[in-house]
Amino acid sequence: MTNDRTPAGERRWDSRLARAHRYLRPGIGLKRWLVVVFLGELLLASAGALILRQVYRGVAPDDPTQSPLLYLLTLQFLPLPLRPVVLLGIGVGLFLFGFWRLIGNLVAPFNSGEEPLVELIYQKRSLARGPRIVAIGGGTGLSTLLRGLKEFSSNITAVVTVADDGGSSGKLRTELGIPPVGDIRNCIAALADAEPLMTSLMHYRFPADSQETNGLSGHAFGNLLIAALTAVEGDFEQGVRHANRVLAVRGQVVPVAPVPLTLHAELSDGRWVEGESLIARHQGIRRVWIAPPDVRASVEAVEAIARADLIVLGPGSLYTSLLPSLLVPQIRAALLSASAARLYVCNVATQVGETEGYTLADHLAALQAHNARDVVDVVLVNDNFAARTPRDYGAAPVRFEMPPPAQLQPRIVHRD
């Protein structure tokens, strides 16, 4: 029993011994395989002893007065040179079999059964050493990007916009006063290691205008889950952290700010439009801004940007998903001081309404108009225009039209 006078080092060792003792409790299924591993090692040691005896002491005659059990255990019924070979074979077999079952029992609680053990070990060990990647944006573009990135690294931080005001997110925002959670839900589902059923559950949407669902009509289950966790914790950021843990997310998903943002836009005809869902429908957007303009950024987002090896901006809706995050002052300051490469992924296709008819030069001009051009080092743009045409009326591939040379600051990389 420790007391206040016990040295800290001794207390740590006592704690470790107490935790190690728990592995030997009944029901865990480790003791039997530890015994098998020990027997394998014992046979390997016996084989080594026989080899050394034959090499250094010569061949000794067998003792005929030994008991039958000892006669069998020492393999005296076999030729002397064959005995260490048999012991080696049996020892290696027992050791490998026991070790494999031991490891299998240790990782079994974390294995959903959908993936083989070797894939699970690769994800937990190899991907954990992957590059630190920060992806900033929202909407369908960011969640699609994350599904690809998580195959290369589990050190991913998704910084998600909180300016949405439509659909289920908009209802919860109005009724509960919490930031919109739809894009956060999509990103958590994209990075989750949960079974497919859990991912489907996060996206399940209660039928709209259904008498059976009443107040749940139109809401996504994942949105309600994050809203409930926020209510339990009394803090939106803490609620999102718990949602990350519940679904075993590879990396983390964080809101760009802990409070909801309101997006405003000025159109080319001088009109002002308020609200992300309304702005997305309009063409000729001249500029956008957020309210409150001095909103505090998420601490985790700023820290992740500072530690990142790669920062990815987009793809996603230019004015309603990407720029609202880049307009948060602390996010912009963190991007300017970041040591990592900052990559802007230009959309493959235009978006009906806000970027209809836009080329690469138009996308870069929009970044320039919002003082976001200087936070981009490299621009990745699609150059395959023979691919499937977007189904949305008015959408088309983003053409590879270069901006004027005087404005060309970032490096342009074009790929299929």
Side-chain angles (χ1 to χ4, degrees):
M1 184 174 180
T2 60
N3 52 49
D4 293 339
R5 296 183 179 180
T6 305
E10 292 185 15
R11 290 198 297 269
R12 285 196 297 270
W13 275 109
D14 291 342
S15 176
R16 291 171 184 173
L17 289 174
R19 289 197 299 268
H21 182 264
R22 296 175 184 174
Y23 286 101
L24 301 179
R25 290 185 298 185
I28 297 182
L30 299 182
K31 296 188 294 295
R32 71 195 71 170
W33 305 118
L34 286 172
V35 171
V36 172
V37 170
F38 174 75
L39 288 176
E41 293 179 336
L42 185 61
L43 292 177
L44 291 175
S46 300
L50 280 177
I51 294 173
L52 291 176
R53 179 186 179 189
Q54 295 177 21
V55 170
Y56 291 103
R57 299 184 62 182
V59 178
D62 295 328
D63 185 0
T65 64
Q66 289 179 341
S67 65
L69 178 60
L70 189 58
Y71 178 81
L72 291 175
L73 291 178
T74 55
L75 304 180
Q76 294 186 25
F77 57 89
L78 294 176
L80 192 61
L82 191 59
R83 295 175 192 175
V85 177
V86 174
L87 287 177
L88 279 174
I90 299 175
V92 169
L94 286 176
F95 177 82
L96 293 179
F97 179 71
F99 183 76
W100 180 257
R101 294 302 299 267
L102 184 66
I103 296 298
N105 282 5
L106 285 173
V107 302
F110 310 101
N111 191 359
S112 64
E114 299 292 330
E115 295 178 308
L117 177 60
V118 65
E119 182 64 22
L120 180 66
I121 296 175
Y122 172 74
Q123 291 174 6
K124 299 300 181 183
R125 300 294 298 173
S126 180
L127 295 183
R129 296 191 294 267
R132 295 183 294 269
I133 303 174
V134 173
I136 302 176
T140 306
L142 181 58
S143 59
T144 303
L145 174 74
L146 295 176
R147 287 189 181 92
L149 289 179
K150 76 175 185 178
E151 301 302 324
F152 298 93
S153 176
S154 59
N155 296 316
I156 300 173
T157 299
V159 180
V160 187
T161 179
V162 288
D164 189 11
D165 61 357
S168 171
S169 295
K171 292 179 183 178
L172 294 174
R173 173 175 176 163
T174 302
E175 296 171 3
L176 303 179
I178 63 173
V181 295
D183 289 346
I184 293 175
R185 179 202 79 229
N186 289 332
C187 292
I188 288 177
L191 287 178
D193 267 339
E195 296 182 7
L197 178 61
M198 182 59 73
T199 302
S200 300
L201 181 63
M202 288 290 288
H203 289 310
Y204 174 77
R205 195 174 294 274
F206 292 93
D209 302 324
S210 172
Q211 294 181 353
E212 290 79 6
T213 57
N214 294 323
L216 300 178
S217 176
H219 282 297
F221 173 80
N223 293 355
L224 298 177
L225 174 63
I226 298 174
L229 289 171
T230 299
V232 169
E233 293 296 328
D235 179 80
F236 177 67
E237 290 179 290
Q238 188 64 19
V240 174
R241 291 188 195 103
H242 282 306
N244 281 279
R245 287 193 286 269
V246 166
L247 289 180
V249 167
R250 295 190 201 174
Q252 62 177 344
V253 178
V254 300
V256 71
V259 297
L261 300 178
T262 301
L263 190 63
H264 301 264
E266 180 186 3
L267 305 182
S268 56
D269 58 8
R271 289 183 297 154
W272 286 17
V273 182
E274 179 180 324
E276 181 268 347
S277 57
L278 290 177
I279 293 172
R281 305 175 190 171
H282 287 82
Q283 291 180 265
I285 299 174
R286 182 177 296 167
R287 66 185 181 97
V288 296
W289 65 96
I290 58 173
D294 57 348
V295 62
R296 175 182 67 85
S298 166
V299 175
E300 292 168 313
V302 174
E303 292 177 349
I305 292 172
R307 297 192 307 265
D309 300 313
L310 174 66
I311 301 171
V312 184
L313 313 176
S317 301
L318 177 62
Y319 291 103
T320 55
S321 291
L322 179 59
L323 283 175
S325 297
L326 300 184
L327 292 174
V328 176
Q330 288 180 310
I331 295 296
R332 172 178 165 77
L335 288 172
L336 287 173
S337 60
S339 59
R342 301 162 298 185
L343 171 68
Y344 168 56
V345 182
C346 187
N347 293 338
V348 173
T350 61
Q351 185 170 348
V352 178
E354 59 182 275
T355 60
E356 198 166 331
Y358 270 38
T359 64
L360 170 63
D362 295 323
H363 281 80
L364 295 181
L367 294 178
Q368 181 71 39
H370 293 83
N371 296 320
R373 185 79 167 268
D374 51 355
V375 299
V376 176
D377 300 312
V378 181
V379 177
L380 179 62
V381 61
N382 172 61
D383 62 1
N384 180 7
F385 305 122
R388 178 178 58 85
T389 303
R391 290 176 294 177
D392 295 333
Y393 176 77
V398 174
R399 293 294 170 180
F400 187 63
E401 179 182 310
M402 298 291 290
Q407 300 179 8
L408 185 58
Q409 297 176 2
R411 175 190 172 197
I412 308 295
V413 177
H414 50 89
R415 293 289 188 275
D416 180 1

